[in-house]
Amino acid sequence: MDINKVLMEYYPQNYSDKVEKYSEEYGVKESLVYAVIRTESGFRAEVESSVGAMGLMQIMPIVGKQFNVAKEHIVDPETNIRLAGKLLKQIEKILKLSPTTSANDRMSIILACYNGGIGHVTDARRLAKSNGEDPNSWEVVARYLKLKADPEIYQSDLVRHGRFTGSRQTIAYVREVMQRYDHYRLVVDHNEALMAQDASRVMRNLKSLAR
């Protein structure tokens, strides 16, 4: 079986010119952009969620407003990818993660902000730091996101963005995007050594992830 052919079938690279352009402009990995699109919309440019998120990368109108883009233009594929790139770059800038933060932790925390809101993630990091734990570890941050549903926690003076009940969804989202990102690297980066090493694992996960 041609693993590369199978991966391309399950992990398309639609809008590649736009993904390449804005990934380079905003310093976001192409593989990550594809993984977010695959997870958020399945490459359906016109999709709108029940809460109003729009387009390929499910951009909320408030984000469009923040970057001076009218709601009716958000579904445009190029505009949508550009807005997502700007948002991801802005999130990373605001977080001020330690330079020693691992690539996976960095990406996971940024994705959690993209999905669940930077305010809740910042609260979780603040709580972690106050308890002597690493605010740059996704494992630690995820644990404190869960705790933000507990009144004893979210009523703390350290919490500035209130109760968070979406931790399960956000953690699952991060896991799914990161898995797809891992697989997209095999397609986008054409790393033969990595492909040979990870081929069996990729094949085991393809059916569960491609939906």
Side-chain angles (χ1 to χ4, degrees):
M1 180 180 293
D2 185 341
I3 180 70
N4 195 47
K5 183 177 180 180
V6 173
L7 284 172
M8 287 296 290
E9 178 182 349
Y10 280 100
Y11 294 90
Q13 297 177 56
N14 303 3
Y15 311 102
S16 58
D17 56 335
K18 299 170 181 61
V19 171
E20 182 177 354
K21 176 181 178 180
Y22 293 110
S23 294
E24 182 175 354
E25 182 171 340
Y26 296 114
V28 180
K29 292 183 181 296
E30 288 182 43
S31 303
L32 180 63
V33 175
Y34 285 124
V36 172
I37 295 174
R38 182 72 176 82
T39 303
E40 292 281 9
S41 69
F43 289 89
R44 295 172 294 161
E46 301 298 324
V47 70
E48 182 172 345
S49 77
S50 60
V51 297
M54 305 170 71
L56 291 171
M57 301 186 75
Q58 291 292 277
I59 298 297
M60 293 293 289
I62 192 171
V63 173
K65 185 176 181 180
Q66 178 184 349
F67 294 117
N68 299 312
V69 175
K71 180 179 178 180
E72 58 267 28
H73 298 310
I74 292 175
V75 294
D76 170 70
E78 181 163 6
T79 301
N80 200 271
I81 293 169
R82 177 173 61 83
L83 286 172
K86 291 183 76 169
L87 179 59
L88 288 165
K89 181 179 180 179
Q90 183 185 67
I91 288 170
E92 182 167 22
K93 184 177 180 180
I94 292 171
L95 287 172
K96 297 180 180 178
L97 294 162
S98 167
T100 61
T101 304
S102 74
N104 279 357
D105 280 333
R106 179 179 298 273
M107 205 171 292
S108 295
I109 292 171
I110 290 170
L111 287 170
C113 293
Y114 189 89
N115 178 262
I118 193 169
H120 291 302
V121 174
T122 300
D123 279 346
R125 296 182 71 219
R126 190 181 300 112
L127 288 164
K129 186 175 181 179
S130 73
N131 286 301
E133 297 189 67
D134 185 1
N136 301 306
S137 162
W138 168 236
E139 181 181 359
V140 171
V141 172
R143 177 155 42 81
Y144 279 96
L145 281 175
K146 292 178 183 177
L147 290 173
K148 280 199 68 191
D150 184 340
E152 291 187 9
I153 301 299
Y154 70 74
Q155 291 176 2
S156 162
D157 291 339
L158 292 169
V159 173
R160 300 171 187 172
H161 298 275
R163 185 184 184 197
F164 185 53
T165 59
S167 62
R168 180 177 296 181
Q169 193 276 335
T170 294
I171 291 167
Y173 173 85
V174 171
R175 182 186 308 115
E176 185 171 353
V177 174
M178 288 299 289
Q179 286 179 326
R180 285 190 166 129
Y181 164 72
D182 187 29
H183 298 164
Y184 258 115
R185 285 189 301 126
L186 305 182
V187 180
V188 176
D189 299 341
H190 301 290
N191 189 324
E192 294 182 1
L194 183 59
M195 184 175 292
Q197 176 183 339
D198 287 358
S200 61
R201 177 173 57 81
V202 170
M203 292 304 295
R204 287 197 302 270
N205 291 333
L206 276 175
K207 289 185 179 180
S208 63
L209 288 176
R211 58 179 183 273

